[in-house]
Amino acid sequence: MPPTPHTPPTRPVRPVRAAGVVRTAGAVPRPAARGSASAATGSTRPRRLPNPRLTGLGSGLFSIAVMCALGSLDSLLFGASLTVYGVLFLPVSVLTGLWVRPGDLLAPPVAMPIAFAVGLLPVIEDGDGLGARMMGLVTALATEAGWLYAGTLAAAVTILVRGVRRATARRRANPRPRPRPRIRRP
């Protein structure tokens, strides 16, 4: 029967939830797992890894907190090895570049050198005062500049690839109409 102005159109059958059980038309009821993606959406797809989106400030705070924690762990477990600290800096740079929001893509290359320097504080050698600690920090920054540049470059390349992919997707979604060729008439 076609819908009339007085009868609403029929809708496709959707899963019905009642008391923690998901029911679909003609299917055997199955319990819904609490907190799972399939319980929330009714799909049977496997769960995906989290995809956080950090603001520019959030990416800076995230990288500083993680590098301070890694610097402290490096100091405790590896005897303040600057090479281990530099190697751990690279995945943090890539993750920060991956997890920043699309509108804040320029933040990670700025935040990563700051996070590297702040995270070095637990790793540098202890001195007899503020001057000795600052001298140790400057020395560590100078000797570990390769790791600093590599991590900053990793964050920059990550956001560059994300930006290019975003622009390509936008261009494919909204193609420009081609201009019609002009025909000259004598």
Side-chain angles (χ1 to χ4, degrees):
M1 177 170 128
T4 63
H6 299 289
T7 60
T10 59
R11 294 183 181 168
V13 178
R14 292 190 179 166
V16 177
R17 263 177 241 292
V21 175
V22 177
R23 299 173 193 252
T24 56
V28 178
R30 58 179 164 68
R34 290 184 178 211
S36 69
S38 61
T41 62
S43 72
T44 58
R45 292 184 294 168
R47 291 184 63 164
R48 293 179 56 181
L49 291 174
N51 193 13
R53 289 292 169 218
L54 301 171
T55 62
L57 178 62
S59 66
L61 292 175
F62 165 76
S63 58
I64 287 172
V66 170
M67 290 313 299
C68 283
L70 290 176
S72 298
L73 282 174
D74 178 26
S75 180
L76 290 173
L77 298 177
F78 300 106
S81 171
L82 291 175
T83 304
V84 171
Y85 179 79
V87 169
L88 293 174
F89 177 64
L90 297 178
V92 174
S93 298
V94 172
L95 284 177
T96 304
L98 287 174
W99 287 348
V100 72
R101 291 186 322 178
D104 295 325
L105 284 179
L106 294 178
V110 174
M112 294 318 299
I114 298 169
F116 187 86
V118 172
L120 270 177
L121 292 176
V123 180
I124 59 175
E125 296 179 20
D126 290 335
D128 288 337
L130 182 64
R133 298 231 358 129
M134 287 298 115
M135 208 156 68
L137 178 64
V138 170
T139 303
L141 285 172
T143 58
E144 301 303 313
W147 292 113
L148 175 60
Y149 291 145
T152 305
L153 182 65
V157 167
T158 304
I159 65 158
L160 184 64
V161 168
R162 284 186 60 202
V164 167
R165 288 182 66 197
R166 182 178 172 210
T168 304
R170 190 179 322 141
R171 192 172 299 126
R172 284 184 184 158
N174 298 323
R176 289 184 183 174
R178 292 183 174 231
R180 293 181 12 192
R182 294 183 181 182
I183 300 175
R184 291 188 173 181
R185 296 188 183 179

